[in-house]
Amino acid sequence: MENKEIKQNRYGIEYTKQGDYYMPNLVLEKEKIELNKYGRARLNYLKTNKKAEYMIMFTKGTLNKHLKEVQETAQNRLDYMINELVKKESITEELKAKNQLAWVAAMNSIKNIAEEIIYSELIYV
């Protein structure tokens, strides 16, 4: 017969008696993070293509830290690359005032180029 006696030691750890043994009631704390599209893309890539890496990070508790680091790096690189490409292509506020459609097309093109680089260098590796 299984006895569900619960005891607590001086360190605050609770134990449940299962048969003749006391087993610790250990629960991992879940860290809540907000994932942007880069964090979610990296998580999806790890789950589908790098299952061993995903499981190792998940069991060690380093997955959230990794995803947060990837998404912060991706966002920082995206901002930097967009600024550099805007300077290189000479896309100015003057163009925005004169021809908004051309400005939007140029900015979308630059963002797509920057995101393609980020996905190939950070997310899908």
Short mmCIF file of all heavy atoms in Angstrom, two decimals, residues 3 5 9 29-30 35 43 47 50 55 62 89 91 94-95 108 113:
data_model
loop_
_atom_site.label_atom_id
_atom_site.label_comp_id
_atom_site.label_asym_id
_atom_site.label_seq_id
_atom_site.Cartn_x
_atom_site.Cartn_y
_atom_site.Cartn_z
N ASN A 3 1.78 4.96 0.84
CA ASN A 3 1.51 5.99 1.83
C ASN A 3 1.98 7.33 1.28
O ASN A 3 3.12 7.45 0.89
CB ASN A 3 2.24 5.63 3.13
CG ASN A 3 1.85 6.55 4.28
OD1 ASN A 3 1.03 7.43 4.10
ND2 ASN A 3 2.45 6.30 5.42
N GLU A 5 2.64 10.27 2.77
CA GLU A 5 3.05 11.16 3.85
C GLU A 5 4.03 12.21 3.30
O GLU A 5 4.93 11.90 2.54
CB GLU A 5 3.75 10.33 4.93
CG GLU A 5 4.23 11.13 6.10
CD GLU A 5 4.96 10.24 7.10
OE1 GLU A 5 4.69 9.03 7.16
OE2 GLU A 5 5.81 10.79 7.79
N ASN A 9 12.13 19.19 5.19
CA ASN A 9 13.37 19.25 5.95
C ASN A 9 13.70 20.70 6.31
O ASN A 9 12.98 21.63 5.98
CB ASN A 9 14.52 18.58 5.20
CG ASN A 9 14.98 19.35 3.97
OD1 ASN A 9 14.49 20.44 3.69
ND2 ASN A 9 15.92 18.78 3.25
N GLU A 29 11.35 25.75 -12.04
CA GLU A 29 10.66 27.01 -12.24
C GLU A 29 10.71 27.37 -13.72
O GLU A 29 11.75 27.27 -14.34
CB GLU A 29 11.31 28.12 -11.43
CG GLU A 29 11.15 27.94 -9.94
CD GLU A 29 11.74 29.09 -9.16
OE1 GLU A 29 11.87 30.20 -9.71
OE2 GLU A 29 12.08 28.86 -8.00
N LYS A 30 9.57 27.78 -14.24
CA LYS A 30 9.51 28.14 -15.65
C LYS A 30 9.75 29.63 -15.79
O LYS A 30 9.09 30.44 -15.14
CB LYS A 30 8.16 27.77 -16.24
CG LYS A 30 7.95 26.28 -16.35
CD LYS A 30 6.67 25.96 -17.08
CE LYS A 30 6.54 24.46 -17.22
NZ LYS A 30 5.35 24.10 -17.96
N LEU A 35 8.65 35.78 -26.82
CA LEU A 35 9.42 35.49 -28.02
C LEU A 35 8.89 36.30 -29.19
O LEU A 35 7.69 36.32 -29.44
CB LEU A 35 9.34 34.00 -28.37
CG LEU A 35 10.01 33.03 -27.41
CD1 LEU A 35 9.80 31.60 -27.88
CD2 LEU A 35 11.48 33.32 -27.26
N LEU A 43 13.16 28.53 -32.25
CA LEU A 43 12.58 27.42 -31.50
C LEU A 43 12.00 26.37 -32.44
O LEU A 43 12.26 25.17 -32.28
CB LEU A 43 11.48 27.95 -30.56
CG LEU A 43 10.71 26.91 -29.77
CD1 LEU A 43 11.63 26.14 -28.84
CD2 LEU A 43 9.59 27.58 -28.99
N LYS A 47 13.29 22.49 -32.85
CA LYS A 47 12.37 21.37 -32.63
C LYS A 47 12.30 20.44 -33.83
O LYS A 47 12.18 19.22 -33.66
CB LYS A 47 10.96 21.89 -32.33
CG LYS A 47 10.76 22.34 -30.93
CD LYS A 47 9.30 22.76 -30.74
CE LYS A 47 9.00 23.12 -29.33
NZ LYS A 47 7.60 23.54 -29.15
N LYS A 50 16.92 20.12 -35.31
CA LYS A 50 18.02 19.86 -34.37
C LYS A 50 17.45 19.32 -33.07
O LYS A 50 17.60 19.91 -32.00
CB LYS A 50 18.80 21.16 -34.10
CG LYS A 50 19.39 21.84 -35.29
CD LYS A 50 20.67 21.18 -35.69
CE LYS A 50 21.34 21.97 -36.80
NZ LYS A 50 22.66 21.53 -37.05
N MET A 55 16.60 19.08 -27.17
CA MET A 55 16.38 18.31 -25.95
C MET A 55 17.47 18.57 -24.91
O MET A 55 17.17 18.66 -23.71
CB MET A 55 16.30 16.80 -26.26
CG MET A 55 15.03 16.40 -26.97
SD MET A 55 13.53 16.91 -26.10
CE MET A 55 13.64 15.97 -24.61
N THR A 62 18.58 25.64 -20.43
CA THR A 62 19.24 26.76 -21.11
C THR A 62 18.50 27.20 -22.38
O THR A 62 18.95 28.12 -23.05
CB THR A 62 20.69 26.39 -21.49
OG1 THR A 62 20.67 25.24 -22.34
CG2 THR A 62 21.52 26.10 -20.25
N GLU A 89 22.25 52.90 -49.86
CA GLU A 89 21.34 53.09 -50.98
C GLU A 89 20.85 54.54 -51.11
O GLU A 89 20.08 54.84 -52.02
CB GLU A 89 20.13 52.16 -50.84
CG GLU A 89 20.48 50.69 -50.89
CD GLU A 89 20.99 50.24 -52.23
OE1 GLU A 89 20.50 50.74 -53.26
OE2 GLU A 89 21.88 49.38 -52.25
N ILE A 91 18.72 56.28 -49.30
CA ILE A 91 17.29 56.43 -49.11
C ILE A 91 17.09 57.48 -48.02
O ILE A 91 17.48 57.27 -46.88
CB ILE A 91 16.62 55.10 -48.73
CG1 ILE A 91 16.85 54.10 -49.85
CG2 ILE A 91 15.14 55.29 -48.46
CD1 ILE A 91 16.43 52.71 -49.53
N GLU A 94 13.88 62.90 -47.82
CA GLU A 94 13.48 63.68 -49.00
C GLU A 94 12.73 62.78 -49.99
O GLU A 94 11.71 63.17 -50.55
CB GLU A 94 14.71 64.30 -49.65
CG GLU A 94 14.40 65.24 -50.79
CD GLU A 94 15.67 65.84 -51.38
OE1 GLU A 94 16.55 66.23 -50.60
OE2 GLU A 94 15.75 65.89 -52.62
N LEU A 95 13.26 61.57 -50.19
CA LEU A 95 12.59 60.60 -51.06
C LEU A 95 11.22 60.24 -50.49
O LEU A 95 10.24 60.13 -51.23
CB LEU A 95 13.43 59.34 -51.24
CG LEU A 95 12.80 58.19 -52.03
CD1 LEU A 95 12.52 58.63 -53.46
CD2 LEU A 95 13.69 56.97 -51.98
N ASN A 108 11.15 48.21 -47.84
CA ASN A 108 10.75 46.79 -47.77
C ASN A 108 11.82 45.89 -48.36
O ASN A 108 12.11 44.82 -47.84
CB ASN A 108 9.42 46.57 -48.48
CG ASN A 108 8.24 47.03 -47.66
OD1 ASN A 108 8.33 47.20 -46.45
ND2 ASN A 108 7.12 47.26 -48.33
N ILE A 113 16.17 41.96 -47.39
CA ILE A 113 17.57 41.57 -47.54
C ILE A 113 18.18 41.31 -46.16
O ILE A 113 18.84 40.29 -45.94
CB ILE A 113 18.37 42.64 -48.30
CG1 ILE A 113 17.93 42.69 -49.76
CG2 ILE A 113 19.87 42.41 -48.19
CD1 ILE A 113 18.43 43.91 -50.52
#
